[in-house]
Structures are given as structure tokens and as C-alpha cells.
Amino acid sequence: MRKIHSLAPGRTCLFGDHQDYLGLPVIACAINRNIELIAVENTTEVFKINMVDINEVRTIDIYKIVTNLEKRDYFASSLRVLRRHGCIPNVGYDITIKGNIPINSGLSSSSALLIAWINFLITAFGVDEKVTPEFLAKMGYASEVLEHVEPGGMMDHYSIGIGTIVHIDTKEPFCCSVIGTQLNGLITGVSGVPKETIGLIGEIKGNAVLAIDCIKQNFKDFDLYNTEITDLDKYYQYLPNQLVPYFEAAIKNHHYTKQALKEFQKPTLDLKKIGALMNEHHAVLRDLLKITVPRIDAMINAALNAGAYGAKIVGSGGGGSIVVLAEPGNEAPVVAAILAAGALEAYAISVAPGAQILETI
């Protein structure tokens, strides 16, 4: 019986939260926390999926054509997407899925699961196109966002599919490039407060788009991508008060991401400068978009007081996790401080490769 071992990492966003769905760039990296999928061919016509961490078993008929998707059913949506690319299941598998990415924490456990599942399906049944990390990412984005008409962006799928540290420029023509393979001193802290993804992204994206539309009505040649912080003053009077924070956040977060890219392009990383930019970015997420919660704020303050160079909330917000940049070798006291501030978990992390098939027998 054929056996396939598929592995996909989690990810953390270093710069650019709430940016990719606006066509603005993101800097993210895969981390050494993974979803592991082990599939063994069986003699049935079903995928029997045992999701160990949530104590759930699901059975999927390999020949079933899904016409009406259930909310967030990414197993079904990816099967539907991959069929269009020539991936046609013809034999069943017993599948065990487990991982050490905290669930609902902003570290993309669901997208990692999706990419591991897609990589398994492609390995088992093939596709009509050349399989690259970019292709995996594209299939993940189509399956999670486009098929379900959700408001998310591409960051999770490309950072998990490609791995290492990537700069994802979502403006046409789309470009995702590796800008580094190592960033020492990284820490993640898991708040234990469940993040709120779909609602928060929908609200923030909706208000940002409304603000941009208001500006475009008065400035026909307005280009969000090329707008600088120094341009903000001339636009404020054309926005309703309630939309000002969303517009300002888009411009400022883009600015800090561009400044961070310059740092990552240098031959030697200046961790203090990168950390300072993380702090500026977090201030926008906290004060303008208001996506933090008290425990997240306490964890970040504790990390900085313990000597970390920078810290920010990760992902959509409303809970979840933080990413911290500390002096390499000084992670332990920062981790201890984060835990003392109420974190459910905290630990050093490292940059990891992207999704991979470890073995196929």
C-alpha cells in the first residue's frame, strides 16, 4: 500500500498585517511548527481522515462532486479546485493528521493543514501542471479564499508553500520573493484568547476599501501603492471621521513594510532597527485598527520590558499570538516574561522551509 508523508509549516507575519487584501506587500516567514499528514492507501473508495488533535474523524467519498460547499470546508473546496487542474482521486486513503501549531492562534494552523492536504492530493493523483511551491500556494489561496468568497489574502498560502522569509507583493503583476532564510531571536507568544478572523478582516477590509473609494472620487489618479506618510494631510479632509483610521493604517503599515524590506535586503541584519519597525507597525494595529486585546497588550509590554527589540500582534487580531524579536541567546528571559504576563504558551521559534513531501513509498 502506498504511503505519503506531507508536512506544512505554520507562519508568522513580520510586517504587513491587514495589507495583502488591499494589494499591498507583506513580509512573513514559515516557522518550525508543523501540520503533519500521513496517508496510507486503502482498499476502499473513501478518504478516512483522523484529525487527532481535535478528536474528529471525517470520511469523504473520493468520487463525490461537491456542488454546495459547507462553510470553511477546505477539504471539499480543495478537491473541487484540484479537479479543475486534472487531480482526479481514484483510490482511498487512511489519513492521520496532527500538529504542534496552536489552533486559532494566528499562526495559520488551518492554512498549513490545507496546504499539507493539497500537497498530498497532488502527490497521490497528479495534476496537469508543473508542481512548484508557488503552485501549491495558488491552489491554497483558491481553495480557502476564492471558493468560499472569504475576505482574506494570499500571505498564509505563499509563506507556507514557499517557506523561509518572503516578501509578497500582491500588486499586479504579483510577485513573491525569498528575502532571507534566517532571523535569529524570534519568539512567539500564544495568548490563549481565540482570534476572530473572518469578521475582523471583513470589517477592516470593508472600511479600508470605502476610505480608498472616497479618496478616488476626489483624486482620480490616486494610487494607494505609491502614497507616502507625508501625503496623508492632503487626504484627511475628504474622509468621514470614522474612515480616517483605516486609511491612515493602510498608508502607515505599508510604509513600515517598505522600510523593513530595505533592512532585509542589507547583507547584515540590524535586529534593533527591524525590532523598532515592528513596534511602529504594532502601534498602528493597536491604536488605529484596534485589533489587540488586554492580554496581547500585556504580553507585548512584558516582552519589551524584558529587553526584546520589537514585538507585534500576528494575524487578524482579536486574540491569537504575538511575534517577538530578541537578542539571539537572550530568548529565555523574554519567554519567561511573556508567560508571566498571562500567555498560554511562549517559546523561541526559527525560520523553516516550506511545505514538503517527506516520503512517498
Side-chain angles (χ1 to χ4, degrees):
M1 294 295 182
R2 191 179 188 193
K3 180 180 178 181
I4 299 171
H5 188 179
S6 178
L7 195 74
R11 72 94 187 96
T12 194
C13 179
L14 301 172
F15 295 92
D17 301 86
H18 291 283
Q19 296 283 276
D20 57 343
Y21 52 67
L22 297 176
L24 298 174
V26 174
I27 296 173
C29 69
I31 61 173
N32 61 332
R33 290 267 161 162
N34 300 285
I35 294 294
E36 180 181 37
L37 183 154
I38 298 175
V40 179
E41 186 179 328
N42 60 36
T43 57
T44 72
E45 297 178 345
V46 300
F47 297 127
K48 185 177 180 181
I49 305 170
N50 179 15
M51 291 170 276
V52 175
D53 298 326
I54 59 173
N55 194 30
E56 183 177 320
V57 176
R58 179 171 178 185
T59 300
I60 300 175
D61 183 337
I62 65 172
Y63 297 115
K64 183 179 180 180
I65 305 298
V66 177
T67 53
N68 296 309
L69 285 174
E70 296 291 330
K71 184 178 180 180
R72 308 201 78 181
D73 185 353
Y74 304 133
F75 288 113
S77 59
S78 53
L79 279 166
R80 192 159 82 171
V81 167
L82 288 173
R83 282 182 181 276
R84 299 179 199 138
H85 294 270
C87 183
I88 311 298
N90 57 12
V91 65
Y93 276 83
D94 292 324
I95 299 166
T96 301
I97 298 173
K98 59 184 179 180
N100 60 0
I101 306 172
I103 296 172
N104 201 27
S105 66
L107 299 176
S108 288
S109 59
S110 60
S111 294
L113 169 56
L114 172 62
I115 296 294
W117 167 247
I118 287 173
N119 212 6
F120 150 67
L121 291 172
I122 291 173
T123 303
F125 307 111
V127 286
D128 295 335
E129 295 153 71
K130 182 180 179 180
V131 180
T132 64
E134 290 80 7
F135 180 77
L136 284 179
K138 181 180 177 182
M139 294 300 96
Y141 175 68
S143 301
E144 184 169 350
V145 178
L146 300 182
E147 287 295 291
H148 289 273
V149 197
E150 291 186 358
M154 304 175 179
M155 171 178 62
D156 297 353
H157 316 96
Y158 278 84
S159 52
I160 292 169
I162 293 172
T164 64
I165 307 171
V166 291
H167 177 256
I168 306 168
D169 196 339
T170 59
K171 182 184 179 183
E172 294 296 334
F174 176 87
C175 177
C176 181
S177 55
V178 173
I179 60 171
T181 58
Q182 197 171 29
L183 182 60
N184 295 325
L186 283 176
I187 296 166
T188 194
V190 182
S191 70
V193 179
K195 68 184 178 64
E196 207 291 289
T197 300
I198 302 301
L200 263 178
I201 292 178
E203 177 187 352
I204 293 172
K205 178 181 178 179
N207 284 324
V209 170
L210 281 175
I212 293 164
D213 287 344
C214 285
I215 298 301
K216 285 183 175 179
Q217 289 174 17
N218 294 279
F219 297 87
K220 302 302 181 185
D221 296 326
F222 174 78
D223 181 357
L224 178 67
Y225 194 89
N226 292 312
T227 301
E228 303 290 345
I229 284 182
T230 52
D231 299 326
L232 277 169
D233 286 342
K234 76 177 182 181
Y235 294 125
Y236 285 139
Q237 63 180 308
Y238 299 97
L239 290 168
N241 288 339
Q242 68 270 23
L243 295 182
V244 167
Y246 301 96
F247 183 76
E248 185 176 336
I251 303 303
K252 288 186 173 181
N253 283 339
H254 185 203
H255 171 78
Y256 299 131
T257 302
K258 288 188 292 184
Q259 295 303 307
L261 178 60
K262 293 177 182 178
E263 293 301 321
F264 278 103
Q265 290 171 333
K266 294 178 180 178
T268 301
L269 296 181
D270 187 329
L271 299 186
K272 290 183 179 179
K273 283 187 178 180
I274 294 173
L277 288 167
M278 288 173 66
N279 293 333
E280 296 276 16
H281 184 16
H282 177 74
V284 173
L285 299 172
R286 180 193 63 216
D287 300 336
L288 294 177
L289 296 185
K290 300 186 183 302
I291 65 171
T292 69
V293 293
R295 189 178 301 173
I296 290 283
D297 292 334
M299 289 163 57
I300 285 178
N301 290 337
L304 296 175
N305 289 335
Y309 295 140
K312 59 176 285 293
I313 190 171
V314 173
S316 55
S321 299
I322 66 172
V323 61
V324 178
L325 186 59
E327 176 66 25
N330 194 47
E331 294 94 342
V334 178
V335 166
I338 296 169
L339 289 169
L344 182 66
E345 297 179 84
Y347 36 77
I349 54 173
S350 58
V351 176
Q356 54 190 308
I357 299 297
L358 295 183
E359 63 178 347
T360 174
I361 301 172

